[in-house]
Each structure stands twice: as C-alpha cells, then as structure tokens.
C-alpha cells in the first residue's frame, strides 16, 4: 500500500561479457494517509573486464559507461476510488573510455487509475520525454495512454 509502481534505476545493457559494476543506490520515502512521496538516486559505473569476454567492439563501447540519475514519485489518493501518480526521472550516461560521449534523458508522467473490480483496474495518463545525445539524434515525445490491467489468479 502506498508504494510507487516504478522507481528509476540504471538501464541494463546486455552483452555476452564479464563486467565490473559499482553501484550506489539510495531511496527515501514518506507514506501518509492519502499521499506518498519517494525520491531515489543512483550512480553506477560499468567497466568490461578485458580478456574475460568473448565479444569485443561495439559492446565494449556500450558497456563502459557511468550512469547517474534520480527519480521522484508522488502518489495521491484523490477519492476512495481514484489514485493519481506523478513521476519525474532524470538520467545521464557518460562513456568511460577515450570517448566521453554523454546522453541525458528527462521523463515526466502522470497517471490516474481506478478499480473496476478487485482484480481489474483502468488507467490513463500523459508522458513527456526529452532525450539529448552526443551519440544519436535528440528527440522529444509527448504521449497520452489509456489501458486496463487485470491480475489472473
């Protein structure tokens, strides 16, 4: 009860290799009768171990990076049936090698959900994303979404 559905964390990049990862992660939260607020922050440094991997090349560039980010989640019980959840995420990824290329991503979202039955909920919301990169094209995204979720037991 009162816990956010999602907290920001480092993005896992999968490759067939051995990687040393240093991770510092912290989360703090307040839970009230109608509100909950959580803030988390992380710093992850990933470094491939030379000679321990079967693949080389592009995966080394993708795996040798440092990710730093933060996340905030605020949940408000609007009525006994409706819940509003707002989130803000910010992540910066920087290459560790000679190429110190950097990407930054900001995401803002808001979702309202209501139960239809004990196992079924409907939800709708909006999201804004901004991605800035020295490696790829920048983009902005604005989206509205609606859905239904059901838990099968």
């Amino acid at each position: 009860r009162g816990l956010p559905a999602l907290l920001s964390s480092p993005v896992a990049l999968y490759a067939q290799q051995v990687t040393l990862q240093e991770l510092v992660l912290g989360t703090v939260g307040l839970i009230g009768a109608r509100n909950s607020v959580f803030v988390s922050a992380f710093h992850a440094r990933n470094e491939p171990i030379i000679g321990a991997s079967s693949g080389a090349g592009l995966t080394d560039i993708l795996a040798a990076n440092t990710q730093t980010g933060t996340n905030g989640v605020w949940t408000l019980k609007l009525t006994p049936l409706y819940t509003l959840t707002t989130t803000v995420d910010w992540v910066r990824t920087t290459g560790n090698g000679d190429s110190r290329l950097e990407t930054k991503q900001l995401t803002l979202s808001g979702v309202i959900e209501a139960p239809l039955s004990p196992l079924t909920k409907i939800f709708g919301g909006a999201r804004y994303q901004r991605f800035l990169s020295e490696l790829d094209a920048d983009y902005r995204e604005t989206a509205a979404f609606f859905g239904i979720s059901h838990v099968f037991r």
Side-chain angles (χ1 to χ4, degrees):
R1 171 180 148 6
L3 297 177
L6 177 68
L7 290 174
S8 186
S9 62
V11 176
L13 301 172
Y14 295 100
Q16 191 172 358
Q17 64 184 4
V18 178
T19 305
L20 174 65
Q21 182 179 57
E22 301 169 15
L23 175 63
V24 176
L25 172 67
T27 302
V28 63
L30 298 170
I31 299 176
R34 294 183 55 213
N35 291 285
S36 66
V37 177
F38 286 85
V39 176
S40 66
F42 66 87
H43 177 83
R45 180 175 169 80
N46 302 296
E47 198 68 50
I49 297 177
I50 306 301
S53 303
S54 62
L58 182 60
T59 56
D60 291 341
I61 295 168
L62 294 174
N65 63 59
T66 300
Q67 298 178 40
T68 304
T70 187
N71 168 269
V73 179
W74 174 48
T75 302
L76 171 64
K77 192 89 168 152
L78 298 170
T79 70
L81 293 178
Y82 293 95
T83 303
L84 168 68
T85 302
T86 57
T87 62
V88 60
D89 300 297
W90 177 83
V91 179
R92 180 184 70 209
T93 304
T94 307
N96 291 342
D98 297 336
S99 170
R100 302 283 297 169
L101 297 175
E102 183 176 90
T103 62
K104 296 177 187 172
Q105 182 170 352
L106 171 69
T107 305
L108 307 168
S109 68
V111 180
I112 294 180
E113 67 178 42
L116 293 177
S117 72
L119 299 177
T120 306
K121 291 190 264 186
I122 58 170
F123 59 89
R127 177 182 64 236
Y128 171 79
Q129 288 185 353
R130 179 74 172 129
F131 181 78
L132 302 170
S133 176
E134 296 173 354
L135 187 62
D136 204 357
D138 297 349
Y139 73 85
R140 288 178 202 227
E141 175 199 62
T142 304
F145 54 89
F146 304 93
I148 186 168
S149 69
H150 181 78
V151 176
F152 295 93
R153 293 185 190 211

